[in-house]
Amino acid sequence: MTSILSVGSVAYDSVKTPFGEVEEVLGGSATYFSVSASFFSQVDLVACVGNDFRKQDVQLLESRNIDLEGLEYMEGQTFRWKGEYSNDLNEAQTLDTQLNVFSDFRPTLPVRYQDSSYVFLGNIDPSLQRQVLSQVQTPQLVICDTMNYWIEGHFEALLETLKSVDILLVNDAEARQLAQEPNLVRGARKIFAWGPRIVVIKRGEYGVLMFYMDSEGTQAEDQLPSGDSLSVFGAPAYPLEDVSDPTGAGDSFAGGFVGYLAGVNRCDVQSLRQAIIFGSVMASFCVEKFSLDRLKELTLTEIELRYKEFKAMTQFEDIP
Ligand code: AMP
C-alpha cells in the first residue's frame, strides 16, 4: 500500500461554536489529516508533542493506519490553539496560538520515510514544511496547506515552499490573502506562477473549486494534468442539518483528497475529481461533532454511502 508522509501540527484545541464549547481536546492539522487519510492509505506522521500529551490520544493514532516513528516527544507543552466561530461557521477567529514544542522542532526523518512518494505539508511553519520536504529523495506528489497565520507572518518563506509544491489547498479567504487578489480565478492563476500546478480552494459550506491547467488529449494515470487552458472542477458541500464544529474540516478534506490519490496511486483528472469528492465527504463527517469524535467512529461503509449521495446530488443530464 502506498503511504503518505504527513507533517503538521498535533495540538490541544479549545473551541467555542454557537453549538457548544470544548477545552483542550485533541486537534491539529496533522491529526485531522492523518485520521482522515488513514481510511484510504497508510500515513507516516511527522510532528512533535510535549510531555503533557495524553496516552489515550497516542492510542487513538496507534489504532489507525498511522505510523508514529516520526512523532517526537519533546520537553515542554504540546501546541495549543484557541478559536471561536460566530453564526458564520466558515471562518474561525483565532484567539490564541501557542507553538510551544513546535518552536524548537527540527525533525530528522526516519530512513523509511525518506523515499515517500506522497508528501502532505500540513498547516505549520513553511520553513518546517521545507525542512521536511528536503529530506524526501524523489517525491511524486507534494500537496501543501497553509493559513492566514503563516501568510501574514511568513510570506517569503511560504513562497519559497510553494516552489516545490504540486497542489496547494487553501480556503477562499487564504487564497485572496495569498494572491492579494479578490477574484479567485485570477488568484489561482497568480498562484500557478509561484509553483503549484493545481489550486484547490475550499469554500466552507459553499463547497470547493479545483483549478488546473489542462489540454486536449490523453494523459498518463500517474501524471498531473498539464496544458495551457485553465480548467475548473467544482463540488458543493454536503448539506448537513446539524453542524457542531467546523474545526479540522480543511484538514479532513485534505486527508480524504490525498488519501484517495495515494490509495489508487493515480493523479489524472478523473482521479483528482473523485479525490475532491472524497475530501468533501470526510470534511462533512468531521464537522458533525467536536474534535475527532465523529472521525473516530466513522466506517468505510458510511464514507462510500455519502460518496454515492454526492454523485446523486450533482449529476444532471446533457441538453437534449
Ligand atoms: P482547519 O482544518 O483549517 O479547521 O484546521 C484546524 C486545526 O489547525 C486545529 O486543530 C488547530 O490545532 C490547527 N491550527 C490552528 N492554527 C495553526 C497554526 N498556526 N499552525 C498549525 N496548526 C494550526
Side-chain angles (χ1 to χ4, degrees), residues 17-19 84-91 205 246:
T17 81
F19 314 104
E84 192 173 331
Y85 298 83
S86 61
N87 274 335
D88 173 9
L89 294 173
N90 287 319
E91 210 173 343
E205 64 178 316

Side-chain angles (χ1 to χ4, degrees), residues 175-196:
R176 291 190 173 98
Q177 189 181 20
L178 178 65
Q180 289 156 21
E181 164 61 60
N183 180 283
L184 292 180
V185 185
R186 278 204 287 268
R189 275 195 197 279
K190 204 164 163 187
I191 294 168
F192 284 145
W194 291 331

